[in-house]
Amino acid sequence: MNLSIKKQGLLIVISGPSGAGKGTICKALIEKEKDLKLSISATTRQPRAGEVDGKNYFFKSEEEFKRMIEEDAFLEWAKVYDHYYGTPKEFVLKNLEEGNDVVLEIDIQGALKVKEKFPEGVFIFILPPSMEELRNRIKKRGTESEEEIIKRFKSAYEELNYVSKYNYVVINDDVDRAVEKIRAIIIAEKCRVDRNKDLYLKIREESV
Ligand code: 5GP
């Protein structure tokens, strides 16, 4: 009996305040789950030391970014801390269509926009273990000015209110543990009845 049914991939949105550790978690997740496709965002912010164009981000001028908005090239875009960030649409739609699971690591404004278009996506909110730890993490990064750090901390504090819009919350007290929780969420989501209607209808048909 052949039960292979081509299904759309899962759209996994990993979001939460700056400093919660989304980036580290996503990197570790992709290393464990090689089949997941991580979307690379476009941004107008300057590359940080060690960041590579086309790997960490597609670094764009404001003019290029605005052209992409006009061309409707983004699934979502947002202005985060004075810079533009956006998810290129084509990569995401193509992979989902081909049945690949796609991960977006984006801010909360972006996640809410994606939720409007893809309510069937899996929305995971990453929480820092404490506000003190969050402040330390934002500071430790050392790439932002004092003013920028205060701005990020304040908005992170307000952003915690949005957790109720998400399907899951994962506390990032330990990266490996957080990654294991996300892997468990993905497995559970793939087993949901509403994602497997075709499969069980097929099994039922073939057994009579
Ligand atoms: P950073 O400048 O520290 O790399 O990222 C700043 C914030 O922008 C983070 O919260 C990150 O998740 C978010 N971000 C990165 N890419 C995107 C994107 O494509 N869309 C949106 N809305 N946010 C993004």
Side-chain angles (χ1 to χ4, degrees):
M1 181 163 52
N2 175 17
L3 291 177
S4 65
I5 291 175
K6 186 123 176 66
K7 279 200 290 189
Q8 253 226 336
L10 206 59
L11 181 62
I12 302 144
V13 180
I14 298 188
S15 182
S18 173
K22 306 181 291 257
T24 316
I25 289 179
C26 281
K27 203 165 155 256
L29 175 68
I30 298 296
E31 268 163 28
K32 283 252 161 110
E33 294 286 340
K34 305 265 187 235
D35 290 341
L36 288 178
K37 307 285 178 195
L38 180 66
S39 157
I40 300 169
S41 299
T43 183
T44 58
R45 87 147 159 73
Q46 292 297 309
R48 295 186 183 125
E51 284 186 333
V52 178
D53 186 38
K55 187 166 174 256
N56 303 91
Y57 281 105
F58 295 109
F59 294 100
K60 303 280 176 196
S61 66
E62 225 172 278
E63 197 187 343
E64 287 171 321
F65 195 96
K66 286 186 175 159
R67 196 174 322 126
M68 289 178 78
I69 296 176
E70 274 166 28
E71 288 165 355
D72 196 25
F74 291 122
L75 187 64
E76 62 74 36
W77 63 270
K79 200 168 184 189
V80 191
Y81 313 116
D82 303 329
H83 304 294
Y84 290 96
Y85 294 82
T87 304
K89 195 194 285 189
E90 200 185 326
F91 175 88
V92 176
L93 299 185
K94 184 172 163 279
N95 272 290
L96 291 178
E97 190 60 34
E98 287 172 1
N100 298 318
D101 301 329
V102 179
V103 177
L104 307 186
E105 189 249 292
I106 58 176
D107 91 313
I108 293 168
Q109 308 169 63
L112 298 181
K113 286 183 201 160
V114 174
K115 201 177 174 200
E116 277 171 26
K117 291 185 188 166
F118 284 90
E120 71 280 18
V122 183
F123 294 83
I124 305 175
F125 194 95
I126 307 296
L127 261 187
S130 66
M131 289 314 281
E132 196 188 340
E133 180 59 25
L134 182 85
R135 193 196 293 265
N136 290 339
R137 286 184 193 170
I138 297 176
K139 266 192 178 166
K140 227 195 266 167
R141 211 182 257 166
T143 51
E144 273 84 31
S145 64
E146 188 61 30
E147 194 189 348
E148 187 83 358
I149 290 170
I150 293 170
K151 201 158 141 192
R152 287 198 176 209
F153 183 73
K154 273 190 182 162
S155 78
Y157 186 78
E158 277 160 26
E159 283 175 343
L160 295 182
N161 291 327
Y162 288 92
V163 66
S164 61
K165 306 268 183 204
Y166 287 70
N167 306 114
Y168 296 94
V169 61
V170 170
I171 298 178
N172 181 19
D173 48 0
D174 174 90
V175 174
D176 290 339
R177 206 166 27 224
V179 167
E180 285 319 302
K181 285 180 184 170
I182 293 174
R183 293 175 80 194
I185 291 168
I186 295 173
I187 294 171
E189 281 288 331
K190 283 177 180 277
C191 294
R192 273 174 46 169
V193 172
D194 56 357
R195 294 196 198 277
N196 288 283
K197 279 210 176 89
D198 291 351
L199 185 62
Y200 72 69
L201 289 176
K202 192 159 190 246
I203 291 174
R204 204 178 55 173
E205 254 169 44
E206 288 187 9
S207 60
V208 287

